[in-house]
Amino acid sequence: MFNILSIFAEAQTFKEWVPFNYRSDIMHESSHFRKIAAFSLTLPWPLWNRSIYIAVSALPVKGENSLIVTMKTLRSNFWLNGFSFEKDPKTTECEIIFCACYIESLGPNKQRLRFMSLADPKFEVIP
């Protein structure tokens, strides 16, 4: 499971290998299993670029070789222990209402990823 988790953990590199992604920052981490991140994507005209600010938490499942990862939009500019950040006012902010990933190791190089998400890309906001 290390390979897939290392990809998730290195979110700041997404801008180098995910198309249209020009910002991917881990803004703060309180532990290896709890972080906040910001992502921004370039969209074609007449749409404005989109940004998302998310809190990510992970929890190993006892007795199983698996991990649960949850993500949710940060609605304010503050997080744990008073950490504050600025949102980009030049982009439209998307919203992840809830997202959960269940990552299960099936063998040395084989994992199963179950993914469920409820998101709003704010396409009714044009541009």
Side-chain angles (χ1 to χ4, degrees):
M1 212 174 352
F2 180 77
N3 292 340
I4 196 165
L5 292 176
S6 62
I7 291 170
F8 286 147
E10 298 296 326
Q12 69 273 15
T13 64
F14 289 6
K15 63 183 167 263
E16 298 169 16
W17 52 274
V18 175
F20 309 110
N21 188 328
Y22 68 89
R23 178 183 182 190
S24 57
D25 297 324
I26 295 175
M27 297 186 296
H28 187 71
E29 59 183 281
S30 61
S31 73
H32 291 301
F33 293 107
R34 198 148 195 204
K35 304 176 183 196
I36 59 172
F39 301 95
S40 296
L41 298 172
T42 302
L43 294 179
W45 184 88
L47 300 173
W48 283 353
N49 294 344
R50 297 298 195 258
S51 291
I52 191 156
Y53 305 89
I54 59 172
V56 181
S57 299
L59 181 68
V61 179
K62 284 188 174 187
E64 297 181 28
N65 199 7
S66 60
L67 184 76
I68 295 174
V69 179
T70 62
M71 292 169 258
K72 191 172 183 178
T73 291
L74 293 163
R75 296 188 186 267
S76 72
N77 292 24
F78 299 96
W79 196 53
L80 297 174
N81 300 323
F83 176 78
S84 64
F85 59 95
E86 294 296 321
K87 294 182 178 182
D88 185 352
K90 296 179 183 176
T91 63
T92 299
E93 187 178 343
C94 298
E95 182 179 9
I96 291 182
I97 299 157
F98 181 77
C99 178
C101 301
Y102 182 79
I103 306 167
E104 177 182 17
S105 181
L106 303 175
N109 290 311
K110 188 174 182 182
Q111 292 80 37
R112 177 181 298 146
L113 173 65
R114 297 178 188 173
F115 189 84
M116 178 180 66
S117 178
L118 176 59
D120 183 357
K122 305 288 184 186
F123 282 131
E124 76 278 1
V125 180
I126 297 196

